Every structure is written in structure tokens, then in C-alpha cells.
Amino acid sequence: MKKLKPIVDSLGRPLRDLRISVTDRCNFRCRYCMPEELFGSGFSFLPKEKLLTFEEIVRLAHIFTELGVSKIRITGGEPLLRQGIVHLIEMLADIKPLQDLAMTTNGVLLTKFAAPLKQAGLKRINVSLDTLRDDTFHRLNSRNYSVRDVLQGIEAAQKAGLSVKVNMVVIKGVNDTEIVEVARYFRERELVVRFIEFMDVGNSNGWNADQVISKQEIISRIHAEMPLEAINPAYFGEVATRYRYQGTETEVGMIPSITQPFCSSCTRLRLSSDGFLYTCLFATEGFNLRDFMRQGADDEKLRRFIEKLWAKRADRYSEERFLTGDGKNRKKIEMSYIGG
Ligand code: SAM
Ligand code: SF4
Ligand code: SF4
């Protein structure tokens, strides 16, 4: 495979990470992502013919790695709902220059998939779990699964040899009183939890700045019970600020997109399940690579298109929101469509 000169955007940021959404469907209806009222039975999900095929995904992944991408994360909707997902992982794991292949999932199907995914070549998995209590869980995702289903999924992933992290989105008045409980539970099991500030992604989740619990507040609450110490970032572009519980090797992370935006080191591109490319999580518009490919563009044309797109990239939405307090009136893609 060709290795080209790494490309940088208009703010000097290299292209390193690619997030690929493989479906816009989900078996949850998290109120901060796909509220039931808006994503109910009347909602039109993407028809199969509009989704990228595995061959198309893998072809693009090859081109992206030539352009500098070394990490790919598979996401959704819920990625484990995509038929044949294990085979896709197997195909992507074959791309040799790729250093990291990861997935984000809500975890309820993991007991079935963890071992096959590991065998197919998946390295890491992030499991989203915002509470340890079934009543909060049901209120948050409007479904009747039990927290136990996810915990068993996490255990299965560990047993299979996947590196596991847990993601908890914190929302004031919904689950913020459970921060310490979640931290303690996973600390005892030596698993990393990353606490995520509730973000204003999309236009459906009724986001309000008053519902955000800041990174600082989360740290203070945990630190008061289980003292923390800061750790240096592992690499350029790491989104989580990392801490360690004093006297242990167990880490905990914060993803402070609202109170401490990290646009200046954002090295990510996002590919939706229908083949649109987005240079920012808060973008209004994407670029239709699927039709470009289906109309016969060869690899060279696709490569040049992506290079140009990245070279022009000037996105820094979270920093702008932080500086101006503005962002509410912008039309944005939905989280369930692009996958976080
Ligand atoms: N369904 C999978 C899952 O939930 O892990 C993958 C897709 S989901 C969109 C990816 C991540 O985005 C999850 O960890 C979820 O908690 C997070 N997320 C969704 N909406 C969010 C929001 N408004 N603010 C912060 N994180 C959010
Ligand atoms: Fe589904 Fe993940 Fe969105 Fe929840 S956060 S609705 S699990 S896509
Ligand atoms: Fe990257 Fe956009 Fe998020 Fe900034 S707001 S960190 S540019 S995805």
C-alpha cells in the first residue's frame, strides 16, 4: 500500500482518526441522542441500498490509511445491529498500516459478539453505560433491557481479551448523583470509565447548558471520595483528560467537550453509514462519497477529493461555542446518524 505524505488541515491538524458509522438504527432510544418522540415508529431510517456496502467501506478505509489514518472506530446507531458486523471487522483488521481498530457500543448484544469480534481482529471496545440502576437506565434509554445485560457484555469483552473502557454521559438531574457510584464500581474492577459532558450534538436532544455537569465538578465529586492525580496525555489529539486513583494503576477519564474544548488537536474525520464524510461532529453538511464512488470515481480521484476536503478544513465548533456561547441556532447532524 502507498504511504503518502501526511495531510494537515487549514489549522495545522493532521488526519489520524476515522469514525465509521455502520448503521443509523439502534435498539435504544437514549433521550440525549434518539429521543423516542422523534425516533418512534414513524421515523424513516436509511434503506439498505443507501448504506455503504462492506466492500465500499473497506475501499475507503484503505484510502484513508494511505492519507494518514491510523485508527478506525466503528460506531452507529448501534453497530452490533449491522448484519455481518464481525465480517466487516475481519476485513478492516486486514488493513496492515492500521494501528488501532475499536468500536463503541451500548453493550447489550456484547455477550454474543465479544469473542467473535476479538477473533476477527477488534482490539478495543468502549461500552456506553450511564448508570448502574435499572430505573435510571430505563428512563434514559426508554427500553426494557437491564443494566445486568450490559455488565455481562462488559465481562464477556474482558474475557475475550478486548481492551474495555466504559463511557458515561453525565446529565444534571438525570444521573449526576450516580457519578461516584459508577466510578467506584469500575475502580474496584480496574476498568477505565470516561465521564462525558453532555453535548449539544444535533437538534433533537433538547440540550441546555444548565444540564451540563462540568469536568471540574465531576473530578471534585470523585476526588472527595477517592483521591485522583493527573496523568499526561498519551498522544496528540487524545480527547480524554486522564487521571489515576492515587495508590492504584486504575485510570479515569473526562471528556470535556463543553467546558474545555479540544478542537485545536482534533484529528478526526467521520463517515456516515450512507457514505457522507463530515469534518466535524457538529457539521451541518457532509460530502457524498457514496455517489462519487458509485458513479465510478477511481481511487486516485477519491484520494484527491479527501485531501482537498481535509486541507480546507477549518472546523472548531466547540471552541466557538465556548467563546461566543452560540451554537443553538445552527442545523447540525444527529449523533445517532454520525455515531459520536
Ligand atoms: N450506540 C453506541 C453507543 O451508545 O455506544 C454507539 C453510538 S453512540 C451515538 C456513541 C457515543 O455517543 C455513546 O457513548 C453515547 O453515550 C454518546 N452520546 C450520544 N449522545 C450524546 C450527547 N448528547 N452528549 C454526549 N455524548 C453523547
Ligand atoms: Fe443508541 Fe448509542 Fe444513541 Fe443510545 S447513544 S440511542 S445506544 S446510538
Ligand atoms: Fe473536532 Fe468539531 Fe469536536 Fe472541535 S467541535 S473537537 S473540530 S469534532
Side-chain angles (χ1 to χ4, degrees):
M1 174 180 290
K2 268 196 236 171
K3 188 82 190 159
L4 305 169
K5 219 170 103 210
I7 53 175
V8 290
D9 72 7
S10 74
L11 302 176
R13 300 168 295 190
L15 170 61
R16 298 250 170 92
D17 315 63
L18 177 67
R19 297 202 152 205
I20 304 175
S21 169
V22 292
T23 177
D24 59 337
R25 292 165 200 259
C26 190
N27 41 5
F28 281 16
R29 287 293 178 273
C30 301
R31 51 184 276 180
Y32 54 72
C33 177
M34 292 178 88
E36 179 89 76
E37 317 83 77
L38 297 173
F39 292 86
S41 54
F43 186 81
S44 304
F45 290 98
L46 290 164
K48 192 167 176 226
E49 64 278 9
K50 291 220 164 140
L51 296 182
L52 290 184
T53 63
F54 288 176
E55 287 68 27
E56 287 170 332
I57 292 175
V58 173
R59 180 178 170 205
L60 288 175
H62 272 284
I63 295 174
F64 284 115
T65 49
E66 287 171 9
L67 293 171
V69 165
S70 58
K71 295 164 92 176
I72 289 183
R73 176 172 294 278
I74 302 300
T75 176
E78 174 45 45
L80 296 181
L81 291 183
R82 176 79 189 248
Q83 234 180 354
I85 186 69
V86 175
H87 183 48
L88 175 64
I89 294 297
E90 205 169 54
M91 291 164 84
L92 290 169
D94 244 8
I95 302 178
K96 291 300 167 232
L98 208 58
Q99 286 161 19
D100 196 8
L101 185 55
M103 180 182 281
T104 304
T105 170
N106 63 31
V108 285
L109 297 174
L110 253 189
T111 41
K112 174 175 167 203
F113 281 103
L117 285 172
K118 169 70 182 168
Q119 219 165 12
L122 191 74
K123 296 198 167 113
R124 299 187 301 118
I125 199 144
N126 285 22
V127 181
S128 307
L129 182 61
D130 305 321
T131 175
L132 292 168
R133 303 180 192 180
D134 274 337
D135 54 344
T136 314
F137 195 56
H138 296 152
R139 220 173 324 121
L140 261 169
N141 64 39
S142 306
R143 289 294 180 265
N144 273 325
Y145 296 104
S146 138
V147 169
R148 197 176 354 103
D149 299 326
V150 181
L151 294 176
Q152 284 173 349
I154 291 174
E155 270 173 40
Q158 285 183 289
K159 223 185 243 165
L162 288 163
S163 157
V164 184
K165 286 187 183 139
V166 176
N167 286 352
M168 172 173 174
V169 177
V170 181
I171 306 177
K172 192 181 211 157
V174 176
N175 64 348
D176 66 300
T177 53
E178 303 177 35
I179 293 170
V180 174
E181 181 178 314
V182 171
R184 191 186 307 280
Y185 180 89
F186 288 108
R187 176 184 185 262
E188 281 165 11
R189 287 154 184 81
E190 299 179 356
L191 272 179
V192 178
V193 184
R194 284 132 40 106
F195 293 91
I196 305 176
E197 289 180 352
F198 179 32
M199 292 189 281
D200 55 333
V201 197
N203 300 101
S204 326
N205 65 11
W207 184 86
N208 187 319
D210 297 342
Q211 294 171 290
V212 176
I213 300 278
S214 71
K215 162 196 153 182
Q216 210 41 55
E217 174 67 25
I218 298 171
I219 294 169
S220 329
R221 290 196 200 177
I222 299 174
H223 186 71
E225 301 282 327
M226 296 171 281
L228 297 170
E229 60 196 10
I231 308 178
N232 289 331
Y235 54 87
F236 177 81
E238 188 171 39
V239 297
T241 322
R242 295 159 61 209
Y243 298 82
R244 189 185 294 120
Y245 294 105
Q246 286 177 23
T248 76
E249 288 304 314
T250 306
E251 291 186 19
V252 60
M254 309 289 146
I255 305 192
S257 158
I258 303 292
T259 63
Q260 206 180 303
F262 33 80
C263 300
S264 59
S265 60
C266 178
T267 56
R268 293 178 177 186
L269 253 181
R270 294 174 158 88
L271 182 64
S272 68
S273 55
D274 57 347
F276 282 65
L277 200 56
Y278 292 87
T279 54
C280 178
L281 180 56
F282 299 88
T284 304
E285 269 181 65
F287 301 87
N288 188 344
L289 280 187
R290 182 199 60 213
D291 287 352
F292 198 28
M293 265 193 295
R294 290 184 186 175
Q295 284 153 8
D298 62 17
D299 285 4
E300 188 53 37
K301 267 200 178 145
L302 287 165
R303 205 177 290 122
R304 277 207 304 270
F305 177 84
I306 297 163
E307 270 174 346
K308 268 198 196 145
L309 180 72
W310 189 262
K312 273 199 306 204
R313 177 182 188 249
D315 304 89
R316 47 190 289 274
Y317 173 85
S318 292
E319 283 180 358
E320 286 163 359
R321 181 223 302 106
F322 182 76
L323 294 170
T324 62
D326 196 19
K328 272 197 170 164
N329 297 323
R330 174 159 163 175
K331 188 175 175 317
K332 295 171 275 183
I333 42 169
E334 292 298 325
M335 188 66 135
S336 55
Y337 170 68
I338 201 66

